[in-house]
Amino acid sequence: MKKTIGNPNKTNEDLINLIKKTKINNYYLKNQKNFRDRILEEINISDHVLDVGMAMRDRYKKIKSELLETLDVNDFGDYPDIICDICSDVSGLEKKYDKIICIAILEHVYDPTAAVANLKKMLKDDGVIYGYVPYLYYYHAPKDLKFQDYFRFSKDALAYLFKDFNDVELFPIRGRVSTPLNILFAGRWKKYAEKTNINIYLDKLSNDESNLKQCSGFNFIIKNWLK
């Protein structure tokens, strides 16, 4: 006689519904645009902004906001403004920021669920989180393990990771053809080949579903957290 423990069917139905309500936007699959430029456009002069890992790179100095702070687990001298393990204690930062930028960070933390919970704590009620995580991507921690490389995220994983938010929008990066080329040629593919837009044309050889399931990673915009 079969034995059922708990209600696994209900749990699975809830997970399916969570995945289904996640928005998929193919804009960055079909257009060679920089996600950081969109972030710049959406930051208001009155915003309080946190850039985790100073991931805006060369666009960091272009941010115009009332407050702009950086956060990192390591102390690099003149950077960051806040030394903090986002998987652990964020005391004093609760409901402080209108916009949080978290690009290529969550794969490097040992507990992404705790990290997202803390990002939520730091966010104001109507705040927004912008970020990126890899999916099909090579290992990229430094040899000295100053930071580590722990996780990769599918669309299903992100739907669950951001389950406490009402508005989850994912933007796949690269598709079925250009993703393995990016892995094979490492940084050279992104640095040289993609400047010709060849990845856009190659990924047109596959349909949207195949590109979604075999993408390099996801940009994301997260807002409207559940209270």
Side-chain angles (χ1 to χ4, degrees), residues 24-41:
I24 304 296
N25 189 324
N26 287 323
Y27 180 79
Y28 294 98
L29 259 174
K30 299 182 178 182
N31 296 277
Q32 194 71 18
K33 302 292 183 180
N34 195 310
F35 184 56
R36 291 175 174 85
D37 290 332
R38 174 167 181 169
I39 297 172
L40 281 177
E41 292 172 1

Side-chain angles (χ1 to χ4, degrees), residues 21-75:
K21 81 170 189 177
T22 302
K23 302 173 187 174
I24 304 296
N25 189 324
N26 287 323
Y27 180 79
Y28 294 98
L29 259 174
K30 299 182 178 182
N31 296 277
Q32 194 71 18
K33 302 292 183 180
N34 195 310
F35 184 56
R36 291 175 174 85
D37 290 332
R38 174 167 181 169
I39 297 172
L40 281 177
E41 292 172 1
E42 296 190 5
I43 291 175
N44 300 313
I45 193 67
S46 61
D47 282 341
H48 289 193
V49 179
L50 178 67
D51 186 347
V52 182
M54 203 159 149
M56 286 294 281
R57 298 180 181 172
D58 60 318
R59 288 164 173 79
Y60 176 80
K61 293 183 179 180
K62 295 181 180 181
I63 297 174
K64 305 298 181 185
S65 61
E66 183 175 289
L67 175 71
L68 175 58
E69 293 181 325
T70 56
L71 181 151
D72 204 301
V73 70
N74 294 308
D75 185 355

Side-chain angles (χ1 to χ4, degrees), residues 169-206:
E169 187 170 16
L170 307 180
F171 303 82
I173 303 299
R174 303 186 186 90
R176 184 173 180 236
V177 179
S178 63
T179 289
L181 291 171
N182 183 57
I183 295 173
L184 182 63
F185 296 106
R188 290 173 291 169
W189 177 260
K190 181 178 180 179
K191 188 174 181 180
Y192 301 109
E194 289 187 356
K195 288 186 176 180
T196 69
N197 290 343
I198 190 171
N199 56 306
I200 303 295
Y201 296 106
L202 289 174
D203 288 329
K204 287 181 180 179
L205 299 173
S206 295

